[in-house]
Amino acid sequence: MLSFRILDFFIAVLYLSGALSFLLGLIYSSKKTQDKSVLLTIIGFGLHSLDLILKYALGIGEILTQSQFYISLLAWSFLLIYFFLWWRLKLKFLSITAAPLALLIFSGSLAISPTTLPVPGFLQGLWFGLHIGTLFITMALLAMGFGAGLAYLHLDRKIKFKAKLSNVSRDLPSLHTFDRANHLAVIIGFPLYTVGVLSGFIWAAFTWKTIFTWDPKEVATVFIWFIFAWLFHRRVSGAWKGKKPAKMVILLFILSLASFIGINFFIETHHSLRP
């Protein structure tokens, strides 16, 4: 267990170094520093992948029954989607969102003792895996859409008011590139979110003999689904581009994060992750 603690420590240090050095690279317009920061994040992601695989393979503390594992997996998902968007859209800039979020969530997982926060037996199995996997990838997509949306609104305001651009603003990609990132987050994210919600209902039917119990988490999830569905419709129909979907994805990510942290940790629910 000590060796895993050391590995976790190095992963957190690499994520922290990647986040800070990317910020410095932006401030000083140093592409070399930015490239090094991405390399640090890639090494951290590689070690994080190894950490998850080893814990699963060795069955450390029956890892699939521990909430700590799933929160660590969420941090890993954020970076997986970031690297996908980086490869697809060359959006290295989103590292400013991905690395700090991954660091924050990964560090949060380390703060949870695996011996005091087990996942109940009924929250395990195939449907649970599908439910969690699709929702985690959706949250990661929304996180990248959140970063792209903030950057879009910032740059759009600078252009609109013809404000002087700072070093950071001058290095930003075009508005069109940020809008494409938003488009991908919505077009891929909504179907995955829908699969996650439906698999949750099926899993609930097997577990609690009903698909809907008016649990706060279920109510929040359905509420978010309706907003997401509206945004998806407007995106697919071509009615919305630019600022409106940027604002909506920012709202959706904040709601999803508030639901995950606020309800799972602070409200009485079937989905409680409280110690």
Side-chain angles (χ1 to χ4, degrees), residues 152-163 165 175 243 247:
Y152 184 98
L153 295 176
H154 169 74
L155 190 58
D156 180 69
R157 184 178 176 79
K158 290 278 187 184
I159 294 172
K160 184 177 179 181
F161 292 101
K162 298 180 179 176
L165 296 180
L175 289 176
K243 288 173 66 176
K247 290 178 179 176

Side-chain angles (χ1 to χ4, degrees), residues 11-269:
I11 294 168
V13 168
L14 284 165
Y15 284 165
L16 176 63
S17 303
L20 290 178
S21 56
F22 190 81
L23 185 60
L24 289 173
L26 278 178
I27 292 172
Y28 294 105
S29 296
S30 171
K31 294 196 180 301
K32 282 187 177 178
T33 306
Q34 292 178 30
D35 290 342
K36 287 178 182 175
S37 76
V38 174
L39 180 61
L40 288 170
T41 307
I42 289 174
I43 296 171
F45 179 75
L47 288 179
H48 195 171
S49 304
L50 181 66
D51 182 60
L52 291 171
I53 291 170
L54 286 177
K55 285 177 179 173
Y56 176 77
L58 298 175
I60 302 296
E62 298 181 338
I63 199 69
L64 292 181
T65 68
Q66 302 296 333
S67 296
Q68 183 190 60
F69 174 78
Y70 292 101
I71 296 172
S72 177
L73 189 63
L74 177 61
W76 182 86
S77 304
F78 275 29
L79 287 173
L80 178 69
I81 295 302
Y82 161 65
F83 288 127
F84 169 74
L85 289 178
W86 181 33
W87 164 73
R88 191 74 176 78
L89 300 177
K90 312 300 179 193
L91 264 180
K92 187 169 61 178
F93 176 80
L94 290 182
S95 181
I96 200 168
T97 303
L101 282 174
L103 171 67
L104 187 66
I105 296 173
F106 180 73
S107 301
S109 76
L110 299 181
I112 297 171
S113 168
T115 60
T116 58
L117 191 54
V119 174
F122 57 79
L123 299 187
Q124 301 169 34
L126 175 64
W127 287 113
F128 180 65
L130 182 63
H131 177 62
I132 290 297
T134 50
L135 291 182
F136 276 14
I137 292 175
T138 304
M139 277 193 71
L141 284 164
L142 288 176
M144 297 307 107
F146 170 80
L150 289 178
Y152 184 98
L153 295 176
H154 169 74
L155 190 58
D156 180 69
R157 184 178 176 79
K158 290 278 187 184
I159 294 172
K160 184 177 179 181
F161 292 101
K162 298 180 179 176
K164 185 179 178 182
L165 296 180
S166 63
N167 288 344
V168 175
S169 299
R170 276 196 293 271
D171 286 341
L172 290 177
S174 67
L175 289 176
H176 175 69
T177 304
F178 285 127
D179 193 52
R180 282 186 65 202
N182 177 286
H183 182 79
L184 275 179
V186 174
I187 295 300
I188 300 174
F190 178 69
L192 285 175
Y193 190 78
T194 302
V195 170
V197 172
L198 290 177
S199 58
F201 285 147
I202 294 171
W203 163 53
F206 283 117
T207 305
W208 296 303
K209 310 304 177 188
T210 177
I211 63 169
F212 199 81
T213 61
W214 293 99
D215 180 83
K217 185 69 179 180
E218 295 171 357
V219 174
T221 300
V222 171
F223 176 70
I224 291 170
W225 185 88
F226 275 110
I227 298 176
F228 212 161
W230 174 246
L231 174 59
F232 181 76
H233 164 69
R234 303 302 284 175
R235 262 300 194 183
V236 169
S237 66
W240 278 6
K241 289 181 181 178
K243 288 173 66 176
K244 284 185 178 177
K247 290 178 179 176
M248 283 291 280
V249 166
I250 290 171
L251 174 66
L252 276 172
F253 178 66
I254 292 172
L255 287 175
S256 299
L257 202 59
S259 170
F260 179 69
I261 296 174
I263 296 179
N264 287 89
F265 285 92
F266 298 104
I267 295 179
E268 194 68 36
T269 168

